[in-house]
Amino acid sequence: MSDSNTPLISYSFSFKGTIRDLLRGSGQVMFQQSAWTGLLFIIGIFWGACYSGAPQVAWGALLGLIASTFAGWIIGEHVEDGRDGLWGFNGILVGCAFPTFLAPVPLMWLSLICCAMLTTWMRRGFNNVTAQFKINSLTFPFVALTWIFLLSARELTAIPLADMDTPALIVRIGGEIDWSFGSMIVYWLKGISQVFLINNAVTGVIFLIGLAVCNIWAAVYAAGSSALALAVALLFAADPADVTAGLFGFSPVLTGIALGTTFYKVNWKSALWTAAGVIATVFIQAGMDTLLVPWGMPTLTGPFCVATWLFLLPLYKLNPDVEPDMTDWKSKK
Amino acid sequence: MSDSNTPLISYSFSFKGTIRDLLRGSGQVMFQQSAWTGLLFIIGIFWGACYSGAPQVAWGALLGLIASTFAGWIIGEHVEDGRDGLWGFNGILVGCAFPTFLAPVPLMWLSLICCAMLTTWMRRGFNNVTAQFKINSLTFPFVALTWIFLLSARELTAIPLADMDTPALIVRIGGEIDWSFGSMIVYWLKGISQVFLINNAVTGVIFLIGLAVCNIWAAVYAAGSSALALAVALLFAADPADVTAGLFGFSPVLTGIALGTTFYKVNWKSALWTAAGVIATVFIQAGMDTLLVPWGMPTLTGPFCVATWLFLLPLYKLNPDVEPDMTDWKSKK
Amino acid sequence: MSDSNTPLISYSFSFKGTIRDLLRGSGQVMFQQSAWTGLLFIIGIFWGACYSGAPQVAWGALLGLIASTFAGWIIGEHVEDGRDGLWGFNGILVGCAFPTFLAPVPLMWLSLICCAMLTTWMRRGFNNVTAQFKINSLTFPFVALTWIFLLSARELTAIPLADMDTPALIVRIGGEIDWSFGSMIVYWLKGISQVFLINNAVTGVIFLIGLAVCNIWAAVYAAGSSALALAVALLFAADPADVTAGLFGFSPVLTGIALGTTFYKVNWKSALWTAAGVIATVFIQAGMDTLLVPWGMPTLTGPFCVATWLFLLPLYKLNPDVEPDMTDWKSKK
């Protein structure tokens, strides 16, 4: 199968090449087209998942990554996207999310594979929509399809829920902030590890190293965005349970890398715009938390998508002599 | 009134011609531009509605069909759309839905007429939006406007509710599956009859005959899609009350006809793609059921629209030498 | 900072000119590019806010107006938009909404300023989206961003809520209609004053005078739309508490001015279409009320946006020899 623009060449397998493209798919979750970055991300996932006694999350990540990359090949998607790792980044996130929120029964694994494959195909369609507005669908294929599956699991009783909130009308506020410096560092690092739904400070360090290996600015913006988001969440007295688990950090981290280093080049104008975007992401995170309470559903990386779209859509020209093009990205290798 | 592209000729009435165009409007609910198909659909609706003691649903269908077709004429819509039955298919669905969910008071009938007329006008607008993405609005004018009216009926107390669920936070799971072969046949046929909100196996047979009269492949895909959807719903242990009433079948039936026989031509590649779309529709149905629980609202054909859009949007080329065009359809007569 | 289409000239300040542009921003809430109209609107806001003992709403309006206009200048938005008052109309509405629904603590004022500034920037992006469909984003930047902030305030505990409903599953119906002629006049005028979230009949009179000063048809359509909406709401027995507070009037008033006098020229065809749009707005208002009940959230001017978009999207040509263009408006001065 092929879409109308597919060139005649199709994806060719080789042990080394395919491993590299899979690892790039992991790296592209944070916009880095580097196999080393992707490898460190996967190491971080395994560390965090095993540490918290949920290794199925790490195995799910690998499975989702492979399934979605494989899906690009069978449908005959653009080969250059496969080489850039763009077939895999939604799938690895699906693979982290399913075993986190659903019980590890066989039908869950089957659904995980199907959903991961769908993200690659639906990404083409979502990009056809967003390209009309000169933006990219980002991780929204993962978000939308995972939302559908998680919602459906409440009526499809063959897949029991694992760690999903009870539907409610009131946002639960709980837990307590530990204001020591050490705890702040932990919250800050967990804000980075939660990009892959991992609640672990060491994983946060590994992710930062992974970013720095490919693009030092990406590491700087990730670190800065998590810190800024933490400060805003503390200033506005956000739900302590979420703050201490890093749940106010992961979307701002992605917004920061996307706006500050991927779609705009680094300069002081784009840095200011990125800071505004990161702060807005905190409010969008809290708003979307409230929005999803009646279904007990997680926001996933939805706040990142919404915030980044909002700050890309005006197409402001923040880099001199560069016409802004937000339809796709080429990250530095 | 006319839009900017209207040709000079306007719709001309004749007893035979207008009856034919009305019946085609009925047939177009399942993408068939055949008056005979439409006639059989209406016979099936009357059978099922009268059998269950709710003849107002059948009269509503006729009223909605006439009102929406009439609306195309007064606003000066494209004549060829009227001749193809495209003015009526949203209206007949409005006419089935209103007396099903709302009490048959005079203001309900007035609202039904207004809403049915609006579908024809709003279809032009919705198509202006979806055409940007090279897809069609399908039955979404019916879905969106009926949702608005049903939601509003909870605050506009002059229209009492008839058969709407109580708003809740938890999806109700109830009823029981009868695993006998005969019951499976009934569930399968009800999956087809529910396209027009009719819960009746005989109506399902009449609808299949109606499809076969115009296009044998449409009948095959409708039958196959309802069966596949039933199997998936049973495998994932979906809510028995919904499964036994055919509520997991009607959206997949429409997805199957749309993808497999209308927007793509029949071949093995498009058949596989359609099967994937039908399976996805089951999950989208369950997900949308959960989504609408806080308002006790029915999904209508929303899952069909979402699933079909998702599988059309990538614009994959599944038929050799045919550029995919999903903006509109010409069904075989 | 500048977007790619910005001319070289930038906004230049002068005491008289800037005051005029600020006042025009107030007038543009009802599509009037007149400083006198804007001045009368602000007088009406102060009258109503002080009368009900909530002067912070009026000060918020001024603050939001100034912040959003200022935001247009720092980002280097199109100067002609600033001169036309298009930088300010979303911001003044943000300024009315925040102190109405949130407690007047310092962080609320800070959020108000940030949100008002964001409306100007996001308006550029929203218009980039809606322009694809040949329509304008209207007051949706205000609606979307205020929804996000109000939702987030349920999790960001540093900003206490003031006058927001408790989340619920059932639409509350309360109060009683006083059917005397005098009360009907009051409900009708409050339908106009609620455009700026003011519940005061005198303010309604001042707003009508403000409209008449700039465009007598705008005043006629505002008055007529509020009356028609009141009649429909009473006919369908809408929630008395909302009817008596004018909450079924404000969105129809905006729909009436937008459709009847701004995007279409006044004639009998457009008047009929506008009447249909005004009636539809009442149902959309009731539907959106129900939709937002699980979060206890106000609809703001959301029903106006949805209704006006629905009636603009078909791009029907209702004025002879005029190609419809709904992407922007130039109001008569």
Side-chain angles (χ1 to χ4, degrees), chain B residues 17 20 59 64 72-73 79 109 112 123 141 144 149 163 165-166 172 174 222 226 235 247 259 263 273 291 302 304 327:
Chain B
R20 182 199 60 204
W59 294 114
W73 172 71
V79 172
W109 294 108
L112 187 162
R123 182 172 188 263
F149 273 83
D163 186 28
D165 290 336
T166 310
R172 268 141 305 203
S226 185
L235 176 65
L247 293 175
L259 289 177
F263 293 106
W273 191 242
L291 194 69
F304 149 63
T327 46

PDB file of all heavy atoms in Angstrom, chain B residues 17 20 59 64 72-73 79 109 112 123 141 144 149 163 165-166 172 174 222 226 235 247 259 263 273 291 302 304 327:
ATOM      1  N   GLY B  17     -40.795  12.969  -9.928  1.00  0.00           N
ATOM      2  CA  GLY B  17     -39.403  13.337  -9.691  1.00  0.00           C
ATOM      3  C   GLY B  17     -39.136  13.656  -8.227  1.00  0.00           C
ATOM      4  O   GLY B  17     -38.102  13.253  -7.671  1.00  0.00           O
ATOM      5  N   ARG B  20     -39.143  10.558  -6.094  1.00  0.00           N
ATOM      6  CA  ARG B  20     -37.896   9.829  -6.316  1.00  0.00           C
ATOM      7  C   ARG B  20     -36.744  10.463  -5.520  1.00  0.00           C
ATOM      8  O   ARG B  20     -35.969   9.769  -4.851  1.00  0.00           O
ATOM      9  CB  ARG B  20     -37.563   9.850  -7.813  1.00  0.00           C
ATOM     10  CG  ARG B  20     -36.319   9.101  -8.204  1.00  0.00           C
ATOM     11  CD  ARG B  20     -35.835   9.574  -9.563  1.00  0.00           C
ATOM     12  NE  ARG B  20     -35.545  11.008  -9.512  1.00  0.00           N
ATOM     13  CZ  ARG B  20     -35.541  11.843 -10.547  1.00  0.00           C
ATOM     14  NH1 ARG B  20     -35.808  11.390 -11.758  1.00  0.00           N
ATOM     15  NH2 ARG B  20     -35.276  13.125 -10.399  1.00  0.00           N
ATOM     16  N   TRP B  59     -43.117   8.334  11.501  1.00  0.00           N
ATOM     17  CA  TRP B  59     -43.674   9.595  10.998  1.00  0.00           C
ATOM     18  C   TRP B  59     -42.656  10.712  11.093  1.00  0.00           C
ATOM     19  O   TRP B  59     -42.569  11.582  10.209  1.00  0.00           O
ATOM     20  CB  TRP B  59     -44.955   9.958  11.758  1.00  0.00           C
ATOM     21  CG  TRP B  59     -46.062   8.979  11.500  1.00  0.00           C
ATOM     22  CD1 TRP B  59     -46.641   8.127  12.398  1.00  0.00           C
ATOM     23  CD2 TRP B  59     -46.694   8.716  10.226  1.00  0.00           C
ATOM     24  NE1 TRP B  59     -47.588   7.342  11.790  1.00  0.00           N
ATOM     25  CE2 TRP B  59     -47.648   7.694  10.451  1.00  0.00           C
ATOM     26  CE3 TRP B  59     -46.543   9.223   8.940  1.00  0.00           C
ATOM     27  CZ2 TRP B  59     -48.452   7.174   9.440  1.00  0.00           C
ATOM     28  CZ3 TRP B  59     -47.340   8.715   7.936  1.00  0.00           C
ATOM     29  CH2 TRP B  59     -48.275   7.705   8.178  1.00  0.00           C
ATOM     30  N   GLY B  64     -38.952  14.579   8.769  1.00  0.00           N
ATOM     31  CA  GLY B  64     -37.586  15.093   8.676  1.00  0.00           C
ATOM     32  C   GLY B  64     -37.061  15.046   7.255  1.00  0.00           C
ATOM     33  O   GLY B  64     -36.384  15.974   6.791  1.00  0.00           O
ATOM     34  N   GLY B  72     -33.497  22.512   1.120  1.00  0.00           N
ATOM     35  CA  GLY B  72     -32.550  22.665   0.018  1.00  0.00           C
ATOM     36  C   GLY B  72     -33.126  23.513  -1.093  1.00  0.00           C
ATOM     37  O   GLY B  72     -32.424  24.327  -1.718  1.00  0.00           O
ATOM     38  N   TRP B  73     -34.434  23.345  -1.304  1.00  0.00           N
ATOM     39  CA  TRP B  73     -35.084  24.101  -2.369  1.00  0.00           C
ATOM     40  C   TRP B  73     -35.220  25.581  -2.018  1.00  0.00           C
ATOM     41  O   TRP B  73     -34.871  26.443  -2.815  1.00  0.00           O
ATOM     42  CB  TRP B  73     -36.464  23.498  -2.662  1.00  0.00           C
ATOM     43  CG  TRP B  73     -37.271  24.317  -3.599  1.00  0.00           C
ATOM     44  CD1 TRP B  73     -37.050  24.492  -4.928  1.00  0.00           C
ATOM     45  CD2 TRP B  73     -38.419  25.096  -3.274  1.00  0.00           C
ATOM     46  NE1 TRP B  73     -38.001  25.340  -5.467  1.00  0.00           N
ATOM     47  CE2 TRP B  73     -38.855  25.717  -4.455  1.00  0.00           C
ATOM     48  CE3 TRP B  73     -39.128  25.327  -2.082  1.00  0.00           C
ATOM     49  CZ2 TRP B  73     -39.973  26.572  -4.497  1.00  0.00           C
ATOM     50  CZ3 TRP B  73     -40.239  26.154  -2.114  1.00  0.00           C
ATOM     51  CH2 TRP B  73     -40.641  26.767  -3.314  1.00  0.00           C
ATOM     52  N   VAL B  79     -28.764  22.061  -7.412  1.00  0.00           N
ATOM     53  CA  VAL B  79     -29.854  21.183  -7.837  1.00  0.00           C
ATOM     54  C   VAL B  79     -29.398  19.735  -7.933  1.00  0.00           C
ATOM     55  O   VAL B  79     -30.116  18.811  -7.527  1.00  0.00           O
ATOM     56  CB  VAL B  79     -30.422  21.659  -9.182  1.00  0.00           C
ATOM     57  CG1 VAL B  79     -31.410  20.649  -9.728  1.00  0.00           C
ATOM     58  CG2 VAL B  79     -31.078  23.006  -9.001  1.00  0.00           C
ATOM     59  N   TRP B 109     -42.207  18.500  17.624  1.00  0.00           N
ATOM     60  CA  TRP B 109     -42.375  18.400  16.167  1.00  0.00           C
ATOM     61  C   TRP B 109     -41.880  19.660  15.464  1.00  0.00           C
ATOM     62  O   TRP B 109     -41.253  19.595  14.410  1.00  0.00           O
ATOM     63  CB  TRP B 109     -43.844  18.131  15.823  1.00  0.00           C
ATOM     64  CG  TRP B 109     -44.313  16.787  16.313  1.00  0.00           C
ATOM     65  CD1 TRP B 109     -45.162  16.542  17.354  1.00  0.00           C
ATOM     66  CD2 TRP B 109     -43.928  15.500  15.791  1.00  0.00           C
ATOM     67  NE1 TRP B 109     -45.333  15.188  17.529  1.00  0.00           N
ATOM     68  CE2 TRP B 109     -44.589  14.520  16.590  1.00  0.00           C
ATOM     69  CE3 TRP B 109     -43.088  15.069  14.769  1.00  0.00           C
ATOM     70  CZ2 TRP B 109     -44.446  13.147  16.358  1.00  0.00           C
ATOM     71  CZ3 TRP B 109     -42.948  13.712  14.552  1.00  0.00           C
ATOM     72  CH2 TRP B 109     -43.615  12.764  15.330  1.00  0.00           C
ATOM     73  N   LEU B 112     -38.174  19.466  15.501  1.00  0.00           N
ATOM     74  CA  LEU B 112     -37.732  18.456  14.533  1.00  0.00           C
ATOM     75  C   LEU B 112     -37.661  19.066  13.132  1.00  0.00           C
ATOM     76  O   LEU B 112     -36.662  18.892  12.410  1.00  0.00           O
ATOM     77  CB  LEU B 112     -38.705  17.275  14.557  1.00  0.00           C
ATOM     78  CG  LEU B 112     -38.385  16.017  13.757  1.00  0.00           C
ATOM     79  CD1 LEU B 112     -39.232  14.848  14.290  1.00  0.00           C
ATOM     80  CD2 LEU B 112     -38.635  16.149  12.262  1.00  0.00           C
ATOM     81  N   ARG B 123     -24.959  21.499   6.332  1.00  0.00           N
ATOM     82  CA  ARG B 123     -24.135  20.572   5.551  1.00  0.00           C
ATOM     83  C   ARG B 123     -23.235  21.323   4.570  1.00  0.00           C
ATOM     84  O   ARG B 123     -22.085  20.960   4.370  1.00  0.00           O
ATOM     85  CB  ARG B 123     -25.031  19.598   4.788  1.00  0.00           C
ATOM     86  CG  ARG B 123     -24.250  18.578   3.999  1.00  0.00           C
ATOM     87  CD  ARG B 123     -25.131  17.502   3.397  1.00  0.00           C
ATOM     88  NE  ARG B 123     -24.284  16.476   2.834  1.00  0.00           N
ATOM     89  CZ  ARG B 123     -23.951  16.404   1.541  1.00  0.00           C
ATOM     90  NH1 ARG B 123     -24.434  17.262   0.681  1.00  0.00           N
ATOM     91  NH2 ARG B 123     -23.134  15.457   1.111  1.00  0.00           N
ATOM     92  N   PRO B 141     -23.627  16.659  10.167  1.00  0.00           N
ATOM     93  CA  PRO B 141     -24.648  17.693  10.407  1.00  0.00           C
ATOM     94  C   PRO B 141     -25.800  17.163  11.266  1.00  0.00           C
ATOM     95  O   PRO B 141     -26.253  17.842  12.191  1.00  0.00           O
ATOM     96  CB  PRO B 141     -25.119  18.053   8.993  1.00  0.00           C
ATOM     97  CG  PRO B 141     -23.950  17.752   8.125  1.00  0.00           C
ATOM     98  CD  PRO B 141     -23.303  16.532   8.734  1.00  0.00           C
ATOM     99  N   ALA B 144     -24.268  16.609  14.982  1.00  0.00           N
ATOM    100  CA  ALA B 144     -23.965  17.828  15.732  1.00  0.00           C
ATOM    101  C   ALA B 144     -25.245  18.568  16.118  1.00  0.00           C
ATOM    102  O   ALA B 144     -25.420  18.975  17.273  1.00  0.00           O
ATOM    103  CB  ALA B 144     -23.051  18.733  14.903  1.00  0.00           C
ATOM    104  N   PHE B 149     -29.658  20.000  20.136  1.00  0.00           N
ATOM    105  CA  PHE B 149     -31.062  20.043  20.540  1.00  0.00           C
ATOM    106  C   PHE B 149     -31.322  19.142  21.748  1.00  0.00           C
ATOM    107  O   PHE B 149     -32.068  19.517  22.661  1.00  0.00           O
ATOM    108  CB  PHE B 149     -31.966  19.645  19.365  1.00  0.00           C
ATOM    109  CG  PHE B 149     -32.323  20.806  18.484  1.00  0.00           C
ATOM    110  CD1 PHE B 149     -31.465  21.237  17.479  1.00  0.00           C
ATOM    111  CD2 PHE B 149     -33.525  21.483  18.650  1.00  0.00           C
ATOM    112  CE1 PHE B 149     -31.790  22.310  16.666  1.00  0.00           C
ATOM    113  CE2 PHE B 149     -33.858  22.567  17.838  1.00  0.00           C
ATOM    114  CZ  PHE B 149     -32.991  22.978  16.842  1.00  0.00           C
ATOM    115  N   ASP B 163     -36.672   8.873  26.029  1.00  0.00           N
ATOM    116  CA  ASP B 163     -35.832   7.706  26.301  1.00  0.00           C
ATOM    117  C   ASP B 163     -34.361   8.098  26.385  1.00  0.00           C
ATOM    118  O   ASP B 163     -33.528   7.562  25.669  1.00  0.00           O
ATOM    119  CB  ASP B 163     -36.067   6.666  25.188  1.00  0.00           C
ATOM    120  CG  ASP B 163     -35.327   5.381  25.499  1.00  0.00           C
ATOM    121  OD1 ASP B 163     -35.118   5.101  26.682  1.00  0.00           O
ATOM    122  OD2 ASP B 163     -34.955   4.664  24.541  1.00  0.00           O
ATOM    123  N   ASP B 165     -30.858   8.512  28.809  1.00  0.00           N
ATOM    124  CA  ASP B 165     -30.262   8.027  30.046  1.00  0.00           C
ATOM    125  C   ASP B 165     -30.123   9.162  31.055  1.00  0.00           C
ATOM    126  O   ASP B 165     -29.985  10.328  30.692  1.00  0.00           O
ATOM    127  CB  ASP B 165     -28.869   7.445  29.764  1.00  0.00           C
ATOM    128  CG  ASP B 165     -28.950   6.147  28.985  1.00  0.00           C
ATOM    129  OD1 ASP B 165     -29.995   5.490  29.060  1.00  0.00           O
ATOM    130  OD2 ASP B 165     -27.969   5.809  28.293  1.00  0.00           O
ATOM    131  N   THR B 166     -30.089   8.789  32.326  1.00  0.00           N
ATOM    132  CA  THR B 166     -29.789   9.746  33.377  1.00  0.00           C
ATOM    133  C   THR B 166     -28.296  10.055  33.337  1.00  0.00           C
ATOM    134  O   THR B 166     -27.490   9.135  33.195  1.00  0.00           O
ATOM    135  CB  THR B 166     -30.141   9.134  34.748  1.00  0.00           C
ATOM    136  OG1 THR B 166     -31.467   8.613  34.678  1.00  0.00           O
ATOM    137  CG2 THR B 166     -30.044  10.173  35.850  1.00  0.00           C
ATOM    138  N   ARG B 172     -22.955   2.364  32.711  1.00  0.00           N
ATOM    139  CA  ARG B 172     -23.746   1.232  33.188  1.00  0.00           C
ATOM    140  C   ARG B 172     -23.447  -0.003  32.355  1.00  0.00           C
ATOM    141  O   ARG B 172     -23.462   0.056  31.121  1.00  0.00           O
ATOM    142  CB  ARG B 172     -25.238   1.548  33.051  1.00  0.00           C
ATOM    143  CG  ARG B 172     -25.833   2.175  34.295  1.00  0.00           C
ATOM    144  CD  ARG B 172     -26.795   3.229  33.882  1.00  0.00           C
ATOM    145  NE  ARG B 172     -26.086   4.179  32.997  1.00  0.00           N
ATOM    146  CZ  ARG B 172     -26.463   5.421  32.804  1.00  0.00           C
ATOM    147  NH1 ARG B 172     -27.537   5.882  33.372  1.00  0.00           N
ATOM    148  NH2 ARG B 172     -25.776   6.218  32.011  1.00  0.00           N
ATOM    149  N   GLY B 174     -24.946  -3.795  31.838  1.00  0.00           N
ATOM    150  CA  GLY B 174     -26.107  -4.582  32.249  1.00  0.00           C
ATOM    151  C   GLY B 174     -26.497  -5.592  31.187  1.00  0.00           C
ATOM    152  O   GLY B 174     -25.868  -5.698  30.135  1.00  0.00           O
ATOM    153  N   ALA B 222     -22.061  -4.389   4.450  1.00  0.00           N
ATOM    154  CA  ALA B 222     -22.890  -4.104   5.625  1.00  0.00           C
ATOM    155  C   ALA B 222     -23.013  -5.351   6.486  1.00  0.00           C
ATOM    156  O   ALA B 222     -22.825  -5.300   7.718  1.00  0.00           O
ATOM    157  CB  ALA B 222     -24.278  -3.619   5.183  1.00  0.00           C
ATOM    158  N   SER B 226     -21.207  -5.704  10.254  1.00  0.00           N
ATOM    159  CA  SER B 226     -21.988  -5.932  11.465  1.00  0.00           C
ATOM    160  C   SER B 226     -21.494  -7.197  12.171  1.00  0.00           C
ATOM    161  O   SER B 226     -21.387  -7.230  13.404  1.00  0.00           O
ATOM    162  CB  SER B 226     -23.473  -6.055  11.133  1.00  0.00           C
ATOM    163  OG  SER B 226     -24.237  -6.149  12.309  1.00  0.00           O
ATOM    164  N   LEU B 235     -15.610 -10.343  21.912  1.00  0.00           N
ATOM    165  CA  LEU B 235     -14.253 -10.683  22.343  1.00  0.00           C
ATOM    166  C   LEU B 235     -13.805  -9.786  23.491  1.00  0.00           C
ATOM    167  O   LEU B 235     -13.196 -10.248  24.458  1.00  0.00           O
ATOM    168  CB  LEU B 235     -13.291 -10.545  21.156  1.00  0.00           C
ATOM    169  CG  LEU B 235     -11.804 -10.778  21.464  1.00  0.00           C
ATOM    170  CD1 LEU B 235     -11.563 -12.228  21.889  1.00  0.00           C
ATOM    171  CD2 LEU B 235     -10.934 -10.437  20.257  1.00  0.00           C
ATOM    172  N   LEU B 247     -26.295  -2.032  19.284  1.00  0.00           N
ATOM    173  CA  LEU B 247     -25.709  -0.685  19.346  1.00  0.00           C
ATOM    174  C   LEU B 247     -24.209  -0.674  19.056  1.00  0.00           C
ATOM    175  O   LEU B 247     -23.615   0.389  18.911  1.00  0.00           O
ATOM    176  CB  LEU B 247     -26.004  -0.053  20.699  1.00  0.00           C
ATOM    177  CG  LEU B 247     -27.499   0.241  20.916  1.00  0.00           C
ATOM    178  CD1 LEU B 247     -27.756   0.763  22.323  1.00  0.00           C
ATOM    179  CD2 LEU B 247     -27.999   1.239  19.882  1.00  0.00           C
ATOM    180  N   LEU B 259     -16.049   3.081   3.655  1.00  0.00           N
ATOM    181  CA  LEU B 259     -14.656   2.830   3.286  1.00  0.00           C
ATOM    182  C   LEU B 259     -14.557   1.807   2.156  1.00  0.00           C
ATOM    183  O   LEU B 259     -13.843   2.010   1.171  1.00  0.00           O
ATOM    184  CB  LEU B 259     -13.858   2.325   4.488  1.00  0.00           C
ATOM    185  CG  LEU B 259     -13.557   3.312   5.607  1.00  0.00           C
ATOM    186  CD1 LEU B 259     -12.821   2.611   6.735  1.00  0.00           C
ATOM    187  CD2 LEU B 259     -12.731   4.481   5.082  1.00  0.00           C
ATOM    188  N   PHE B 263     -15.873   5.201  -0.862  1.00  0.00           N
ATOM    189  CA  PHE B 263     -14.713   6.067  -1.090  1.00  0.00           C
ATOM    190  C   PHE B 263     -13.539   5.306  -1.692  1.00  0.00           C
ATOM    191  O   PHE B 263     -12.702   5.898  -2.367  1.00  0.00           O
ATOM    192  CB  PHE B 263     -14.327   6.772   0.207  1.00  0.00           C
ATOM    193  CG  PHE B 263     -15.366   7.753   0.656  1.00  0.00           C
ATOM    194  CD1 PHE B 263     -16.194   7.487   1.726  1.00  0.00           C
ATOM    195  CD2 PHE B 263     -15.544   8.951  -0.029  1.00  0.00           C
ATOM    196  CE1 PHE B 263     -17.166   8.380   2.128  1.00  0.00           C
ATOM    197  CE2 PHE B 263     -16.507   9.849   0.359  1.00  0.00           C
ATOM    198  CZ  PHE B 263     -17.332   9.567   1.442  1.00  0.00           C
ATOM    199  N   TRP B 273      -8.081  -2.601   4.753  1.00  0.00           N
ATOM    200  CA  TRP B 273      -8.159  -1.268   5.371  1.00  0.00           C
ATOM    201  C   TRP B 273      -9.540  -1.055   5.998  1.00  0.00           C
ATOM    202  O   TRP B 273      -9.675  -0.521   7.099  1.00  0.00           O
ATOM    203  CB  TRP B 273      -7.866  -0.205   4.306  1.00  0.00           C
ATOM    204  CG  TRP B 273      -7.657   1.193   4.809  1.00  0.00           C
ATOM    205  CD1 TRP B 273      -8.421   2.292   4.504  1.00  0.00           C
ATOM    206  CD2 TRP B 273      -6.617   1.673   5.680  1.00  0.00           C
ATOM    207  NE1 TRP B 273      -7.921   3.406   5.127  1.00  0.00           N
ATOM    208  CE2 TRP B 273      -6.820   3.051   5.861  1.00  0.00           C
ATOM    209  CE3 TRP B 273      -5.549   1.055   6.332  1.00  0.00           C
ATOM    210  CZ2 TRP B 273      -5.994   3.843   6.662  1.00  0.00           C
ATOM    211  CZ3 TRP B 273      -4.727   1.843   7.133  1.00  0.00           C
ATOM    212  CH2 TRP B 273      -4.941   3.204   7.288  1.00  0.00           C
ATOM    213  N   LEU B 291     -17.653   8.766  26.887  1.00  0.00           N
ATOM    214  CA  LEU B 291     -17.503  10.222  26.828  1.00  0.00           C
ATOM    215  C   LEU B 291     -18.831  10.922  27.090  1.00  0.00           C
ATOM    216  O   LEU B 291     -18.864  12.002  27.690  1.00  0.00           O
ATOM    217  CB  LEU B 291     -16.984  10.599  25.429  1.00  0.00           C
ATOM    218  CG  LEU B 291     -16.440  12.001  25.238  1.00  0.00           C
ATOM    219  CD1 LEU B 291     -15.131  12.159  25.995  1.00  0.00           C
ATOM    220  CD2 LEU B 291     -16.225  12.297  23.764  1.00  0.00           C
ATOM    221  N   GLY B 302     -22.055   9.372  15.495  1.00  0.00           N
ATOM    222  CA  GLY B 302     -20.761  10.017  15.709  1.00  0.00           C
ATOM    223  C   GLY B 302     -19.561   9.079  15.538  1.00  0.00           C
ATOM    224  O   GLY B 302     -18.570   9.449  14.885  1.00  0.00           O
ATOM    225  N   PHE B 304     -19.196   6.475  13.688  1.00  0.00           N
ATOM    226  CA  PHE B 304     -18.979   6.261  12.250  1.00  0.00           C
ATOM    227  C   PHE B 304     -18.240   7.437  11.625  1.00  0.00           C
ATOM    228  O   PHE B 304     -17.267   7.249  10.877  1.00  0.00           O
ATOM    229  CB  PHE B 304     -20.333   6.037  11.555  1.00  0.00           C
ATOM    230  CG  PHE B 304     -20.404   6.519  10.139  1.00  0.00           C
ATOM    231  CD1 PHE B 304     -19.598   5.961   9.156  1.00  0.00           C
ATOM    232  CD2 PHE B 304     -21.280   7.535   9.774  1.00  0.00           C
ATOM    233  CE1 PHE B 304     -19.668   6.412   7.832  1.00  0.00           C
ATOM    234  CE2 PHE B 304     -21.346   7.989   8.468  1.00  0.00           C
ATOM    235  CZ  PHE B 304     -20.532   7.429   7.496  1.00  0.00           C
ATOM    236  N   THR B 327     -13.819  13.944  -0.986  1.00  0.00           N
ATOM    237  CA  THR B 327     -14.660  15.104  -0.690  1.00  0.00           C
ATOM    238  C   THR B 327     -16.136  14.815  -0.921  1.00  0.00           C
ATOM    239  O   THR B 327     -16.990  15.439  -0.317  1.00  0.00           O
ATOM    240  CB  THR B 327     -14.260  16.319  -1.547  1.00  0.00           C
ATOM    241  OG1 THR B 327     -14.109  15.882  -2.885  1.00  0.00           O
ATOM    242  CG2 THR B 327     -12.978  16.922  -1.052  1.00  0.00           C
TER     243      THR B 327
END
